[in-house]
Amino acid sequence: MKRILISHAIVSVLIIIILMGSSCLSSSNNGGNVTPSPSVQSSPPVNVNGQGSNANGNGSKVSPAEIDNSVANADTAMIFKVDKEVLLRNKGAADFIRILSGLFRGGDLLRVGQQAIAWVTCPDGHICPLPTGDYTDCCHVTCAEPIQLGPSGGSETRVMMRKMDLPAQERQTVEIAELRIRQLGADDVTTQFLIANLYSSWKLTEANQEVYKLSEQLKDPAAQQKLDKLYVPMVRKTGDLYLKLDQKVSAEQSYKKAVELAPGARDEKEEAAANVSLGQLYEKTGQKEAAVDNLQKATVLYEKQGEVQKAMQTRRVITRVQRQ
């Protein structure tokens, strides 16, 4: 009799835990009301960090791959393709602007219009189609039909191997993700960036060739005009891909190029991010003085922009470097 009662108690506890977990995923964020633009019907803002739900109500939280917690990439998603009307209000700005692509940072407000979709890449390693709604956060996105760029349980250390040598199920997962990426209809440079990201996240030997292809495409003068506001971020993120492949020299070259290009693009936020990326690379390679120099430049830029949290995060990295 005691065993039966204990079994019933355990089952009851498990049911309560499951119900509590479900309620966390489906809870909505009703804060941050905004005045709708005349051409777009407003919907409640959605916090897309795992606490909100999609407009279609059937979103599922993605199991994160290798989450990028660097200061440069934290709270930043890349909007690389939109269908129909998508508006963005940058942090501190009074008005929305219509966009075809761009970066979606913490503090921004993204408004996806009726029957529109904004395709974004997220720091936790997946591509997400954001449907109609207002979005106030861009990390840990809850979305329907995501394209996972890396293996689930991405914290597991993987060795480099050829795609053909992957276990059959993993190889099929990679091939399906690659097919879906190619079917998105993004421009050729962005498509190559996503494929290179997929291969490097899976630690495939072929990633070396795919990242090299991306680097060559970015050297084409037409790429800057084609990518517009995404050009400098993509140059910087190419450095991230090289770093995943442990090609530190190539990563440094990409980061330096981003630092050089950012002022001309009049994007101080990206200039700060590029300096952080370079500084954290120098930290990894034991170049303390160079690391502190770049991180201090980033801190000044973040403070100038009023990015208090980013400035504090960068100072913590500086302190960590100086203590090594």
Side-chain angles (χ1 to χ4, degrees):
M1 186 64 179
K2 288 183 178 180
R3 290 180 180 177
I4 293 174
L5 291 173
I6 292 171
S7 298
H8 281 298
I10 292 173
V11 170
S12 299
V13 171
L14 289 173
I15 291 173
I16 292 170
I17 292 172
I18 292 170
L19 290 174
M20 289 177 67
S22 299
S23 65
C24 288
L25 288 176
S26 61
S27 63
S28 61
N29 178 1
N30 294 318
N33 293 328
V34 296
T35 303
S37 61
S39 58
V40 181
Q41 181 179 344
S42 178
S43 57
V46 179
N47 185 330
V48 288
N49 62 358
Q51 297 176 350
S53 61
N54 281 324
N56 57 15
N58 61 357
S60 59
K61 180 152 185 176
V62 178
S63 175
E66 186 178 346
I67 297 178
D68 188 344
N69 287 320
S70 70
V71 177
N73 292 316
D75 300 328
T76 303
M78 178 184 287
I79 307 166
F80 63 87
K81 181 178 182 290
V82 303
D83 295 327
K84 299 187 178 179
E85 187 172 65
V86 175
L87 308 174
L88 181 67
R89 190 178 72 186
N90 294 122
K91 181 179 180 180
D95 301 317
F96 284 92
I97 58 171
R98 187 169 182 172
I99 62 167
L100 298 177
S101 62
L103 291 185
F104 176 26
R105 300 180 173 99
D108 294 345
L109 179 61
L110 183 69
R111 173 165 291 168
V112 183
Q114 292 298 309
Q115 299 181 329
I117 296 176
W119 290 89
V120 303
T121 60
C122 306
D124 55 356
H126 68 282
I127 299 169
C128 180
L130 297 177
T132 301
D134 287 354
Y135 298 87
T136 58
D137 196 355
C138 54
C139 292
H140 310 294
V141 174
T142 300
C143 67
E145 301 181 4
I147 302 175
Q148 191 70 42
L149 292 174
S152 58
S155 59
E156 177 186 354
T157 302
R158 300 178 66 89
V159 296
M160 296 290 291
M161 66 172 62
R162 296 178 301 173
K163 183 169 69 172
M164 65 180 294
D165 294 331
L166 288 173
Q169 187 173 357
E170 290 191 350
R171 185 170 67 252
Q172 183 181 36
T173 299
V174 173
E175 290 173 347
I176 291 174
E178 181 173 354
L179 178 62
R180 291 184 64 193
I181 288 170
R182 295 191 185 280
Q183 291 175 338
L184 290 175
D187 66 82
D188 58 337
V189 183
T190 300
T191 298
Q192 184 59 41
F193 169 74
L194 297 174
I195 296 298
N197 203 325
L198 173 70
Y199 277 51
S200 60
S201 296
W202 277 90
K203 302 290 186 183
L204 299 181
T205 305
E206 295 90 340
N208 293 288
Q209 182 179 1
E210 298 300 333
V211 178
Y212 175 76
K213 286 181 186 177
L214 173 63
S215 295
E216 290 301 300
Q217 288 183 339
L218 288 170
K219 291 177 183 177
D220 186 339
Q224 189 164 357
Q225 183 177 0
K226 185 182 299 182
L227 295 172
D228 193 23
K229 294 179 181 179
L230 288 185
Y231 182 71
V232 178
M234 200 170 290
V235 169
R236 177 175 61 81
K237 287 176 177 292
T238 299
D240 295 344
L241 300 183
Y242 275 124
L243 203 54
K244 284 184 180 181
L245 303 176
D246 201 31
Q247 296 186 28
K248 295 183 178 66
V249 173
S250 295
E252 181 183 9
Q253 291 173 350
S254 294
Y255 292 148
K256 281 184 173 180
K257 185 176 180 181
V259 169
E260 178 185 340
L261 291 171
R266 297 181 181 179
D267 189 344
E268 287 190 338
K269 290 184 179 180
E270 190 56 32
E271 183 179 357
N275 274 288
V276 168
S277 295
L278 190 56
Q280 291 188 298
L281 171 63
Y282 287 143
E283 178 191 9
K284 292 177 188 292
T285 56
Q287 301 177 68
K288 291 178 61 173
E289 186 176 339
V292 171
D293 181 56
N294 283 99
L295 291 168
Q296 286 178 337
K297 289 177 181 177
T299 303
V300 171
L301 288 166
Y302 282 137
E303 289 175 341
K304 181 180 177 181
Q305 300 156 24
E307 294 286 348
V308 178
Q309 185 175 0
K310 290 272 190 179
M312 289 177 60
Q313 290 172 333
T314 309
R315 285 197 203 93
R316 291 193 195 102
V317 179
I318 292 172
T319 302
R320 184 178 68 208
V321 173
Q322 291 172 333
R323 288 176 177 174
Q324 291 175 357

